[in-house]
Amino acid sequence: MRHMALLVVLAVLVVPLLLLASPLTLASDAARMTLPSGMSNPLTIRYPELAQAPSPPLIVEGLRATYEIVAGSPDVVAGKGDVAYSKGEYGAGLVQIDILALEDGQAATRTVSFAPDAITGGMKKINIYGSVNAAGCGDFWCNPSLLAAIPNRAGEDLTVDRGKYDLNGQEYDVIRFYYRSQGISLGMIYDLETGILLHHTADYTSNLPTEEGGMVTRGQNAIMRLRNLRQVNIPWNDGRVPSWARGGSSLHFQGTHSFWLPQLPDVAPTVSPISVRVDIQEAHERFIEGRQQTYTQEAVQPAYVPMVSSISQLMGFWVPKEAMSLRPAIIDSDPDTGMVVSILESSPDGLIMQETNNINYKFIAAYDASGRVVQTVIESYAGTATGQRDELQLVE
Protein backbone atom coordinates (compact mmCIF):
# COMPACT_ATOMS: atom_id res chain seq x y z
CA MET A 1 0.00 0.00 0.00
CA ARG A 2 2.84 2.37 0.77
CA HIS A 3 4.31 1.73 -2.68
CA MET A 4 0.99 2.45 -4.41
CA ALA A 5 0.48 5.63 -2.37
CA LEU A 6 3.93 6.86 -3.40
CA LEU A 7 3.20 6.26 -7.09
CA VAL A 8 -0.11 8.09 -6.84
CA VAL A 9 1.44 11.07 -5.05
CA LEU A 10 4.19 11.57 -7.63
CA ALA A 11 1.95 11.02 -10.64
CA VAL A 12 -0.90 13.13 -9.30
CA LEU A 13 1.42 16.02 -8.46
CA VAL A 14 2.93 16.74 -11.86
CA VAL A 15 0.07 16.24 -14.31
CA PRO A 16 -2.58 18.45 -12.65
CA LEU A 17 -0.04 21.21 -11.98
CA LEU A 18 1.10 21.00 -15.59
CA LEU A 19 -2.43 21.34 -16.94
CA LEU A 20 -3.44 24.01 -14.41
CA ALA A 21 -0.61 26.23 -15.48
CA SER A 22 -0.96 25.70 -19.22
CA PRO A 23 -2.17 28.41 -21.58
CA LEU A 24 -4.72 27.15 -24.10
CA THR A 25 -3.80 29.35 -27.05
CA LEU A 26 -0.31 28.10 -27.89
CA ALA A 27 0.76 26.50 -31.18
CA SER A 28 1.02 23.03 -29.65
CA ASP A 29 0.24 21.31 -26.38
CA ALA A 30 3.97 20.99 -25.67
CA ALA A 31 4.63 24.72 -26.14
CA ARG A 32 4.78 25.73 -22.50
CA MET A 33 7.49 27.17 -20.27
CA THR A 34 7.67 24.69 -17.40
CA LEU A 35 9.68 23.92 -14.29
CA PRO A 36 10.66 20.42 -13.04
CA SER A 37 7.34 20.34 -11.14
CA GLY A 38 5.37 20.83 -14.36
CA MET A 39 4.30 24.34 -13.35
CA SER A 40 4.73 27.24 -15.76
CA ASN A 41 7.76 29.40 -15.02
CA PRO A 42 6.59 32.89 -13.94
CA LEU A 43 10.03 34.40 -14.55
CA THR A 44 9.67 34.46 -18.32
CA ILE A 45 6.46 36.47 -17.90
CA ARG A 46 7.82 38.85 -15.27
CA TYR A 47 11.17 39.22 -17.06
CA PRO A 48 10.48 38.76 -20.82
CA GLU A 49 14.13 39.43 -21.62
CA LEU A 50 14.88 35.94 -20.24
CA ALA A 51 12.73 34.38 -22.95
CA GLN A 52 14.66 36.29 -25.62
CA ALA A 53 18.13 35.51 -24.24
CA PRO A 54 20.52 32.88 -25.63
CA SER A 55 20.91 29.62 -23.75
CA PRO A 56 23.81 29.36 -21.27
CA PRO A 57 27.02 27.64 -22.53
CA LEU A 58 26.32 24.61 -20.33
CA ILE A 59 22.97 23.96 -22.03
CA VAL A 60 23.44 21.53 -24.95
CA GLU A 61 21.45 18.75 -26.57
CA GLY A 62 21.68 15.51 -24.61
CA LEU A 63 22.18 17.19 -21.23
CA ARG A 64 20.19 15.51 -18.43
CA ALA A 65 19.33 17.03 -15.06
CA THR A 66 18.23 14.69 -12.27
CA TYR A 67 16.35 16.04 -9.23
CA GLU A 68 15.48 14.29 -6.01
CA ILE A 69 11.85 14.95 -5.17
CA VAL A 70 9.76 14.64 -2.03
CA ALA A 71 6.10 15.05 -2.96
CA GLY A 72 2.88 15.08 -0.98
CA SER A 73 -0.86 15.51 -1.32
CA PRO A 74 -2.12 16.46 2.15
CA ASP A 75 -5.80 17.20 2.86
CA VAL A 76 -7.03 19.30 5.78
CA VAL A 77 -10.70 18.60 6.54
CA ALA A 78 -12.53 21.25 8.55
CA GLY A 79 -16.00 21.18 10.04
CA LYS A 80 -18.18 24.21 10.43
CA GLY A 81 -15.87 25.41 13.16
CA ASP A 82 -12.48 23.97 14.06
CA VAL A 83 -10.18 21.72 12.03
CA ALA A 84 -11.33 18.13 12.41
CA TYR A 85 -8.33 16.17 11.10
CA SER A 86 -5.57 16.01 8.49
CA LYS A 87 -4.75 13.22 6.08
CA GLY A 88 -2.68 12.64 2.97
CA GLU A 89 0.25 10.73 1.47
CA TYR A 90 3.91 11.51 0.86
CA GLY A 91 6.59 9.87 -1.25
CA ALA A 92 10.09 10.30 -2.64
CA GLY A 93 11.47 9.73 -6.11
CA LEU A 94 13.42 11.28 -8.98
CA VAL A 95 12.60 13.67 -11.81
CA GLN A 96 14.79 13.75 -14.93
CA ILE A 97 14.73 16.40 -17.66
CA ASP A 98 16.52 15.78 -20.97
CA ILE A 99 17.34 18.53 -23.47
CA LEU A 100 16.24 16.96 -26.74
CA ALA A 101 16.75 19.84 -29.17
CA LEU A 102 17.93 23.45 -29.39
CA GLU A 103 16.60 25.26 -32.45
CA ASP A 104 15.64 28.84 -33.37
CA GLY A 105 15.69 30.11 -29.78
CA GLN A 106 13.65 27.16 -28.49
CA ALA A 107 14.56 24.25 -26.23
CA ALA A 108 12.61 20.99 -26.54
CA THR A 109 12.74 18.88 -23.38
CA ARG A 110 11.36 15.62 -21.98
CA THR A 111 10.53 15.18 -18.29
CA VAL A 112 10.25 11.74 -16.67
CA SER A 113 9.22 11.02 -13.07
CA PHE A 114 10.45 7.87 -11.29
CA ALA A 115 9.34 6.16 -8.09
CA PRO A 116 11.21 3.35 -6.31
CA ASP A 117 9.55 -0.02 -5.77
CA ALA A 118 9.12 -0.61 -2.04
CA ILE A 119 10.19 -4.26 -2.32
CA THR A 120 12.75 -4.48 -5.12
CA GLY A 121 14.03 -0.88 -5.05
CA GLY A 122 13.87 -0.63 -8.84
CA MET A 123 13.13 2.85 -10.21
CA LYS A 124 10.03 2.73 -12.41
CA LYS A 125 8.72 5.42 -14.79
CA ILE A 126 5.37 6.81 -13.67
CA ASN A 127 4.93 10.01 -15.68
CA ILE A 128 6.34 11.37 -18.97
CA TYR A 129 5.65 14.61 -20.84
CA GLY A 130 7.34 17.00 -23.25
CA SER A 131 7.81 20.77 -23.23
CA VAL A 132 9.06 23.46 -25.58
CA ASN A 133 10.63 26.38 -23.72
CA ALA A 134 12.55 29.49 -24.54
CA ALA A 135 16.22 28.56 -24.78
CA GLY A 136 17.19 31.45 -22.52
CA CYS A 137 15.10 30.18 -19.59
CA GLY A 138 14.09 26.53 -19.75
CA ASP A 139 12.93 23.80 -17.40
CA PHE A 140 16.02 23.84 -15.18
CA TRP A 141 18.07 26.84 -16.24
CA CYS A 142 18.05 30.58 -16.97
CA ASN A 143 20.65 32.78 -18.66
CA PRO A 144 23.05 33.65 -15.78
CA SER A 145 24.01 37.07 -17.16
CA LEU A 146 20.40 38.21 -17.11
CA LEU A 147 19.78 36.60 -13.71
CA ALA A 148 22.67 38.63 -12.31
CA ALA A 149 21.06 41.85 -13.58
CA ILE A 150 17.69 41.25 -11.87
CA PRO A 151 17.39 43.57 -8.82
CA ASN A 152 16.39 42.36 -5.37
CA ARG A 153 12.77 43.18 -4.61
CA ALA A 154 9.84 42.24 -2.43
CA GLY A 155 6.29 42.50 -3.69
CA GLU A 156 2.90 41.02 -3.11
CA ASP A 157 3.46 38.08 -5.45
CA LEU A 158 7.24 37.92 -6.04
CA THR A 159 10.23 38.10 -3.69
CA VAL A 160 13.81 38.21 -5.04
CA ASP A 161 17.01 38.04 -3.00
CA ARG A 162 20.57 36.73 -3.14
CA GLY A 163 22.78 34.70 -0.85
CA LYS A 164 24.59 31.41 -0.40
CA TYR A 165 23.18 27.91 -0.88
CA ASP A 166 24.79 24.63 0.14
CA LEU A 167 24.14 21.61 -2.07
CA ASN A 168 25.83 18.31 -1.24
CA GLY A 169 28.65 20.07 0.58
CA GLN A 170 29.33 22.66 -2.14
CA GLU A 171 28.45 26.30 -1.56
CA TYR A 172 26.94 28.36 -4.40
CA ASP A 173 26.25 32.04 -4.95
CA VAL A 174 22.56 32.06 -5.80
CA ILE A 175 19.54 34.17 -6.61
CA ARG A 176 16.23 33.13 -5.00
CA PHE A 177 12.71 33.69 -6.33
CA TYR A 178 9.51 33.10 -4.34
CA TYR A 179 6.24 33.50 -6.22
CA ARG A 180 2.66 33.35 -4.88
CA SER A 181 -0.59 33.70 -6.84
CA GLN A 182 -4.11 32.23 -6.56
CA GLY A 183 -3.23 29.23 -4.42
CA ILE A 184 0.08 28.55 -6.21
CA SER A 185 3.44 29.02 -4.47
CA LEU A 186 6.74 28.48 -6.26
CA GLY A 187 10.34 28.70 -5.08
CA MET A 188 13.37 28.69 -7.39
CA ILE A 189 17.05 28.93 -6.43
CA TYR A 190 19.47 29.40 -9.34
CA ASP A 191 23.26 29.22 -9.40
CA LEU A 192 24.45 32.65 -10.51
CA GLU A 193 27.54 31.24 -12.25
CA THR A 194 25.90 28.65 -14.51
CA GLY A 195 22.20 29.56 -14.36
CA ILE A 196 21.28 25.99 -13.30
CA LEU A 197 18.26 25.51 -11.01
CA LEU A 198 19.56 24.00 -7.77
CA HIS A 199 16.41 23.91 -5.65
CA HIS A 200 12.70 24.13 -6.50
CA THR A 201 9.49 23.98 -4.48
CA ALA A 202 5.93 23.89 -5.79
CA ASP A 203 2.69 24.07 -3.80
CA TYR A 204 -0.90 24.24 -4.98
CA THR A 205 -3.96 24.41 -2.72
CA SER A 206 -7.70 24.44 -3.42
CA ASN A 207 -10.78 24.53 -1.22
CA LEU A 208 -13.72 22.18 -1.81
CA PRO A 209 -16.99 22.07 0.20
CA THR A 210 -18.06 18.84 1.91
CA GLU A 211 -21.55 17.38 2.13
CA GLU A 212 -21.52 18.06 5.89
CA GLY A 213 -21.11 21.79 5.30
CA GLY A 214 -17.40 21.88 6.06
CA MET A 215 -14.40 22.46 3.81
CA VAL A 216 -11.55 20.34 2.46
CA THR A 217 -8.31 22.18 1.76
CA ARG A 218 -6.55 19.98 -0.76
CA GLY A 219 -2.88 20.48 -1.41
CA GLN A 220 -0.18 19.21 -3.73
CA ASN A 221 3.42 20.02 -2.95
CA ALA A 222 6.94 19.05 -3.92
CA ILE A 223 10.50 19.82 -2.86
CA MET A 224 13.23 19.19 -5.44
CA ARG A 225 17.02 19.35 -5.17
CA LEU A 226 19.52 18.88 -7.99
CA ARG A 227 21.18 15.48 -7.73
CA ASN A 228 23.13 15.12 -10.96
CA LEU A 229 23.90 16.85 -14.24
CA ARG A 230 25.37 14.70 -17.00
CA GLN A 231 25.62 14.27 -20.76
CA VAL A 232 23.61 11.34 -22.15
CA ASN A 233 25.42 9.36 -24.83
CA ILE A 234 23.59 9.83 -28.16
CA PRO A 235 25.34 7.73 -30.87
CA TRP A 236 23.60 9.76 -33.57
CA ASN A 237 23.09 13.50 -33.54
CA ASP A 238 22.83 14.45 -37.19
CA GLY A 239 20.01 14.63 -39.67
CA ARG A 240 16.55 16.14 -39.70
CA VAL A 241 13.03 15.18 -38.77
CA PRO A 242 11.85 12.48 -41.24
CA SER A 243 9.55 13.52 -44.06
CA TRP A 244 6.61 11.46 -42.74
CA ALA A 245 6.54 13.49 -39.49
CA ARG A 246 4.54 16.49 -40.73
CA GLY A 247 2.44 18.94 -38.76
CA GLY A 248 -1.18 17.77 -38.77
CA SER A 249 -0.29 14.08 -39.24
CA SER A 250 -0.87 11.29 -36.70
CA LEU A 251 0.47 7.90 -35.68
CA HIS A 252 -1.98 5.21 -34.54
CA PHE A 253 -1.02 2.20 -32.45
CA GLN A 254 -3.21 -0.72 -31.37
CA GLY A 255 -2.53 -3.60 -29.02
CA THR A 256 -3.25 -5.17 -25.66
CA HIS A 257 -2.80 -4.46 -21.97
CA SER A 258 -2.09 -7.56 -19.85
CA PHE A 259 -2.26 -7.82 -16.06
CA TRP A 260 -1.23 -10.87 -14.04
CA LEU A 261 -0.18 -12.13 -10.60
CA PRO A 262 3.32 -13.67 -10.76
CA GLN A 263 2.72 -15.60 -7.54
CA LEU A 264 -0.26 -17.37 -9.15
CA PRO A 265 1.20 -18.81 -12.39
CA ASP A 266 -1.87 -20.97 -13.01
CA VAL A 267 -4.14 -17.91 -13.19
CA ALA A 268 -4.39 -16.57 -16.75
CA PRO A 269 -3.56 -12.88 -17.29
CA THR A 270 -6.36 -10.38 -17.71
CA VAL A 271 -6.11 -8.97 -21.24
CA SER A 272 -7.86 -5.84 -22.55
CA PRO A 273 -7.54 -3.70 -25.70
CA ILE A 274 -5.42 -0.55 -25.71
CA SER A 275 -4.61 2.02 -28.38
CA VAL A 276 -2.43 5.12 -28.60
CA ARG A 277 -2.74 8.13 -30.87
CA VAL A 278 0.14 10.57 -31.41
CA ASP A 279 -0.82 13.88 -33.04
CA ILE A 280 2.06 15.86 -34.54
CA GLN A 281 1.12 19.52 -34.22
CA GLU A 282 4.41 21.20 -35.19
CA ALA A 283 7.42 19.80 -37.05
CA HIS A 284 10.88 21.41 -37.01
CA GLU A 285 14.28 20.45 -38.38
CA ARG A 286 15.40 18.67 -35.18
CA PHE A 287 12.20 17.88 -33.26
CA ILE A 288 8.44 17.51 -33.40
CA GLU A 289 5.88 18.56 -30.80
CA GLY A 290 2.30 17.58 -30.20
CA ARG A 291 0.18 15.36 -27.96
CA GLN A 292 -0.29 11.72 -27.08
CA GLN A 293 -3.50 10.00 -25.94
CA THR A 294 -3.90 6.46 -24.64
CA TYR A 295 -7.28 4.77 -25.04
CA THR A 296 -8.38 1.81 -22.92
CA GLN A 297 -11.66 -0.06 -22.72
CA GLU A 298 -12.99 2.66 -20.43
CA ALA A 299 -15.53 4.88 -22.21
CA VAL A 300 -14.13 8.09 -20.70
CA GLN A 301 -12.16 10.29 -23.10
CA PRO A 302 -8.50 10.02 -21.98
CA ALA A 303 -6.45 13.03 -21.02
CA TYR A 304 -3.73 14.07 -23.45
CA VAL A 305 -0.03 14.25 -22.62
CA PRO A 306 2.17 16.93 -24.25
CA MET A 307 4.77 15.15 -26.39
CA VAL A 308 8.18 16.00 -27.87
CA SER A 309 10.43 13.72 -29.94
CA SER A 310 13.78 14.62 -31.48
CA ILE A 311 16.93 13.45 -33.22
CA SER A 312 18.97 13.79 -29.99
CA GLN A 313 16.89 11.24 -28.08
CA LEU A 314 17.05 7.60 -27.11
CA MET A 315 13.90 5.44 -27.39
CA GLY A 316 11.93 8.11 -29.24
CA PHE A 317 9.38 7.82 -32.07
CA TRP A 318 12.13 7.50 -34.64
CA VAL A 319 15.87 7.09 -35.11
CA PRO A 320 17.95 8.45 -38.01
CA LYS A 321 18.94 6.04 -40.78
CA GLU A 322 22.54 6.18 -39.58
CA ALA A 323 21.47 4.16 -36.54
CA MET A 324 20.87 1.09 -38.70
CA SER A 325 24.62 0.59 -39.09
CA LEU A 326 25.28 0.47 -35.34
CA ARG A 327 26.16 -2.88 -33.81
CA PRO A 328 24.33 -4.38 -30.81
CA ALA A 329 25.78 -2.79 -27.67
CA ILE A 330 24.96 -0.82 -24.53
CA ILE A 331 24.49 2.83 -25.47
CA ASP A 332 23.89 4.53 -22.13
CA SER A 333 23.71 3.62 -18.44
CA ASP A 334 22.04 6.07 -16.07
CA PRO A 335 23.70 6.12 -12.62
CA ASP A 336 20.67 7.60 -10.85
CA THR A 337 17.83 5.35 -12.06
CA GLY A 338 19.77 2.26 -13.13
CA MET A 339 18.20 2.44 -16.60
CA VAL A 340 20.34 0.87 -19.34
CA VAL A 341 19.66 1.60 -23.03
CA SER A 342 20.92 -0.96 -25.55
CA ILE A 343 20.72 -1.90 -29.21
CA LEU A 344 19.55 -5.53 -29.29
CA GLU A 345 19.47 -6.07 -33.07
CA SER A 346 20.40 -3.97 -36.11
CA SER A 347 20.32 -4.38 -39.88
CA PRO A 348 19.53 -2.26 -42.97
CA ASP A 349 15.91 -3.36 -42.49
CA GLY A 350 15.51 -2.00 -38.98
CA LEU A 351 16.58 -1.71 -35.38
CA ILE A 352 15.45 -3.12 -32.01
CA MET A 353 16.30 -1.17 -28.86
CA GLN A 354 15.71 -1.79 -25.16
CA GLU A 355 15.59 0.31 -22.00
CA THR A 356 15.54 -1.55 -18.68
CA ASN A 357 16.59 -1.28 -15.06
CA ASN A 358 17.01 -5.09 -14.98
CA ILE A 359 14.69 -5.22 -11.96
CA ASN A 360 11.08 -4.27 -12.61
CA TYR A 361 10.90 -2.25 -15.86
CA LYS A 362 11.61 -3.05 -19.52
CA PHE A 363 10.78 -1.08 -22.68
CA ILE A 364 11.48 -2.55 -26.13
CA ALA A 365 11.02 -0.53 -29.36
CA ALA A 366 11.33 -1.81 -32.94
CA TYR A 367 12.06 0.59 -35.82
CA ASP A 368 11.66 -0.03 -39.55
CA ALA A 369 14.14 0.83 -42.31
CA SER A 370 12.93 4.46 -42.38
CA GLY A 371 13.64 4.80 -38.65
CA ARG A 372 9.97 4.95 -37.64
CA VAL A 373 8.87 3.06 -34.53
CA VAL A 374 6.51 0.23 -35.53
CA GLN A 375 6.19 -1.84 -32.34
CA THR A 376 6.65 -1.28 -28.60
CA VAL A 377 6.46 -3.48 -25.50
CA ILE A 378 6.49 -2.08 -21.96
CA GLU A 379 6.62 -4.56 -19.06
CA SER A 380 6.69 -3.59 -15.38
CA TYR A 381 6.20 -5.13 -11.94
CA ALA A 382 5.01 -3.86 -8.57
CA GLY A 383 7.17 -5.83 -6.16
CA THR A 384 6.38 -9.52 -6.58
CA ALA A 385 2.62 -8.97 -6.48
CA THR A 386 1.57 -7.79 -9.93
CA GLY A 387 2.89 -7.62 -13.47
CA GLN A 388 1.71 -5.52 -16.43
CA ARG A 389 2.55 -5.47 -20.13
CA ASP A 390 1.47 -3.08 -22.89
CA GLU A 391 2.09 -4.33 -26.44
CA LEU A 392 1.44 -1.92 -29.32
CA GLN A 393 1.74 -2.18 -33.10
CA LEU A 394 1.73 0.69 -35.59
CA VAL A 395 -1.43 0.70 -37.70
CA GLU A 396 -0.94 2.03 -41.22
Side-chain angles (χ1 to χ4, degrees), residues 21 35 39 49 63 86 113 127 137 143 174 204-205 235 263 280 285 294 296 393:
L35 291 161
M39 293 292 291
E49 61 271 21
L63 185 66
S86 298
S113 301
N127 185 48
C137 191
N143 184 289
V174 299
Y204 173 76
T205 58
Q263 295 178 335
I280 301 173
E285 287 193 1
T294 300
T296 64
Q393 187 84 26

Side-chain angles (χ1 to χ4, degrees), residues 26 35 63 127 164-165 173 203 247 280 282 289 303 335 358 378:
L26 295 172
L35 291 161
L63 185 66
N127 185 48
K164 302 289 185 178
Y165 179 74
D173 293 315
D203 297 272
I280 301 173
E282 296 284 338
E289 51 185 300
N358 291 310
I378 298 178

Side-chain angles (χ1 to χ4, degrees), residues 32 41 72 115 128 132 155 194 199 212 248 273 282 285 327 342 353:
R32 60 191 78 233
N41 192 338
I128 303 172
V132 179
T194 63
H199 183 100
E212 295 78 15
E282 296 284 338
E285 287 193 1
R327 295 181 178 180
S342 306
M353 297 186 64

Side-chain angles (χ1 to χ4, degrees), residues 60-63 98-103 106-110 130-132 234-242 244-245 278 280 282-290 307-320 323 353 367 371:
V60 294
E61 293 181 351
L63 185 66
D98 289 352
I99 300 178
L100 303 185
L102 295 171
E103 182 181 335
Q106 293 181 306
T109 62
R110 180 173 180 258
S131 299
V132 179
I234 309 291
W236 54 79
N237 202 35
D238 297 324
R240 297 186 176 185
V241 170
W244 55 261
V278 176
I280 301 173
E282 296 284 338
H284 307 269
E285 287 193 1
R286 297 195 59 76
F287 70 97
I288 62 173
E289 51 185 300
M307 179 273 299
V308 171
S309 189
S310 82
I311 296 294
S312 296
Q313 179 180 2
L314 301 177
M315 309 300 293
F317 285 105
W318 78 84
V319 293
M353 297 186 64
Y367 302 86

Side-chain angles (χ1 to χ4, degrees), residues 27-43:
S28 84
D29 293 295
R32 60 191 78 233
M33 297 178 181
T34 60
L35 291 161
S37 60
M39 293 292 291
S40 290
N41 192 338
L43 298 185

Side-chain angles (χ1 to χ4, degrees), residues 88-336:
E89 297 290 349
Y90 290 85
L94 298 175
V95 174
Q96 290 188 330
I97 306 104
D98 289 352
I99 300 178
L100 303 185
L102 295 171
E103 182 181 335
D104 295 333
Q106 293 181 306
T109 62
R110 180 173 180 258
T111 299
V112 184
S113 301
F114 296 83
D117 186 275
I119 296 176
T120 65
M123 299 296 292
K124 186 166 62 175
K125 296 181 181 182
I126 59 171
N127 185 48
I128 303 172
Y129 66 89
S131 299
V132 179
N133 298 273
C137 191
D139 299 72
F140 61 90
W141 73 90
C142 279
N143 184 289
S145 299
L146 293 187
L147 286 178
I150 293 175
N152 290 358
R153 57 161 293 176
E156 293 183 359
D157 63 344
L158 182 66
T159 300
V160 184
D161 62 28
R162 287 166 169 78
K164 302 289 185 178
Y165 179 74
D166 183 87
L167 179 64
N168 300 325
Q170 182 174 347
E171 190 174 70
Y172 295 85
D173 293 315
V174 299
I175 183 169
R176 304 184 184 92
F177 299 90
Y178 297 98
Y179 173 80
R180 295 166 297 277
S181 177
Q182 299 179 348
I184 297 174
S185 298
L186 301 174
M188 295 86 73
I189 301 178
Y190 291 90
D191 174 27
L192 280 170
E193 179 179 354
T194 63
I196 296 297
L197 181 67
L198 303 178
H199 183 100
H200 172 44
T201 59
D203 297 272
Y204 173 76
T205 58
S206 59
N207 295 312
L208 302 172
T210 65
E211 294 180 357
E212 295 78 15
M215 190 71 66
V216 176
T217 300
R218 180 158 297 164
Q220 298 175 23
N221 56 62
I223 302 173
M224 303 182 186
R225 286 166 57 95
L226 182 66
R227 172 170 172 162
N228 194 11
L229 200 65
R230 76 176 187 93
Q231 191 71 23
V232 175
N233 178 37
I234 309 291
W236 54 79
N237 202 35
D238 297 324
R240 297 186 176 185
V241 170
S243 59
W244 55 261
R246 302 180 303 275
S249 62
S250 300
L251 297 174
H252 300 269
F253 300 85
Q254 291 182 353
T256 58
H257 170 77
S258 301
F259 176 88
W260 68 93
L261 304 175
Q263 295 178 335
L264 300 175
D266 295 333
V267 178
T270 300
V271 180
S272 58
I274 186 174
S275 62
V276 171
R277 172 173 173 155
V278 176
D279 293 319
I280 301 173
Q281 296 170 313
E282 296 284 338
H284 307 269
E285 287 193 1
R286 297 195 59 76
F287 70 97
I288 62 173
E289 51 185 300
R291 65 161 63 181
Q292 177 177 326
Q293 287 179 288
T294 300
Y295 298 82
T296 64
Q297 62 184 359
E298 300 294 334
V300 178
Q301 178 77 3
Y304 69 85
V305 177
M307 179 273 299
V308 171
S309 189
S310 82
I311 296 294
S312 296
Q313 179 180 2
L314 301 177
M315 309 300 293
F317 285 105
W318 78 84
V319 293
K321 293 182 179 180
E322 292 79 3
M324 306 303 167
S325 63
L326 296 174
R327 295 181 178 180
I330 292 176
I331 295 177
D332 185 76
S333 297
D334 188 81
D336 301 296

